[in-house]
Amino acid sequence: MQKLSDPRENNFNILRLMAASAVIFSHAVDITTGHHDLIAEKIGYSGGWIAVSAFFSISGMLIYKSIVRSRSVREYMTSRSLRIFPGLWVMLVLTTLLLGPAMSTLGISEYFTSSQVSEYFFGNAILYIPRYFLPGVFESNPLTAVNGSLWTLRFEFTCYLITLLLFLIGAYRTETTFRIMCAVIVAGYLGYLGLGLMQGTLDQVLYDGSDISKLHRMFFAFFVGIIVGHYIDRIRPKAWWVILSGAATWISFGTPLFATALIIFIALVVFWFTFLQQGWLVPFRQMQDYSYGIYIYGFPVQQTVEHFLPNLSSLGNALLSLAITLPFAAASWHFVEKPALGFKARLLTKRGTA
């Protein structure tokens, strides 16, 4: 059986690259037209929604493996923080101090004295007070947000904290406690759907109408990853699981359970593909993980492309933006994210030696 932790034995890198690229293609429609993509028109959920769900399920598996291997809470939180914050902070510096003044219709002095600048930088830097606008920036675009992708990061980090809480209360300690945890989470998830149905707010629940609804959806995708991570060393998702889940998703279309079935289907496709053994996949296993950089830089790059080339089609915006974003993502990985992870390794080595 292939090793989960060895990138030479799995396809996580190409999966993350595909998901990050899918977000760019989905956002291209929003950015150039102000409307959602064709997938959203057909099923109610966009390609970006699907890609983010895949990201959260992958994260759920890997973060579960991380917490059960961690030697302390400090080690776990250090690892998670170094993965999220350094790349984010550098991107915020670049967009606030360079992109913002260059794109703003305001003068330099007026731009930097606006409260929006500090609110954008510090609110996004701490994740939980997200701000999406800089003064005078992208005012002529169909969308005026500088970086509309950042809203998911606080939910990602919240999932890390929930995973830690479940670990601290012993939810992963034995098979029995793990199953009890699963039953409680599923009951809570379905209960929230039922509450929305009874109160007439089901659309708000199903279509991210509030922060609670967003967390409800994203943590469920993350939770599916936790389940897979718990059992992945004993059994791997099979193709027939994917087919059966796809059929259930198709049958549930138009019902309150469609989003639930779709999340499970996406996760099963991802984890089946993770260990797929095909020759054409082997070269991708040697690639670096540029997905986070693509995700955090893609939106401002797309907005800039739209600013200078407003007549470019959605597909053109996506292709050109992806080509421009890749060097930023590569630089982020090699000069920010990877060194930060290396700093974590040095810290752990020093602690082990001591």
Side-chain angles (χ1 to χ4, degrees), residues 29 229 282 290:
V29 181
V282 173
Y290 297 156

Side-chain angles (χ1 to χ4, degrees), residues 78-89:
T78 298
S79 300
R80 304 282 56 82
S81 298
L82 287 175
R83 189 66 187 95
I84 289 285
F85 290 108
L88 172 66
W89 290 342

Side-chain angles (χ1 to χ4, degrees), residues 168-217:
L168 292 175
I169 65 175
Y172 314 138
R173 188 169 298 161
T174 67
E175 187 64 28
T176 299
T177 56
F178 184 84
R179 291 179 179 179
I180 291 173
M181 174 203 73
C182 291
V184 170
I185 290 175
V186 169
Y189 174 83
L190 294 176
Y192 188 68
L193 286 177
L195 183 64
L197 186 62
M198 289 187 294
Q199 293 183 339
T201 59
L202 188 59
D203 281 352
Q204 179 178 343
V205 173
L206 294 177
Y207 298 103
D208 294 348
S210 67
D211 281 353
I212 294 177
S213 298
K214 292 183 178 76
L215 181 61
H216 171 259
R217 184 256 293 192

Side-chain angles (χ1 to χ4, degrees), residues 11-12 82 98 126 183 217 220 229 293 348:
N11 302 313
F12 279 130
L82 287 175
L98 297 180
I126 63 173
R217 184 256 293 192
F220 184 71
L348 298 180

Side-chain angles (χ1 to χ4, degrees), residues 58-87:
I58 293 172
S59 184
M61 173 200 270
L62 297 178
I63 298 308
Y64 170 77
K65 288 295 188 181
S66 173
I67 189 69
V68 297
R69 287 194 307 261
S70 293
R71 293 172 293 179
S72 67
V73 172
R74 180 180 178 181
E75 177 182 320
Y76 171 78
M77 290 306 300
T78 298
S79 300
R80 304 282 56 82
S81 298
L82 287 175
R83 189 66 187 95
I84 289 285
F85 290 108

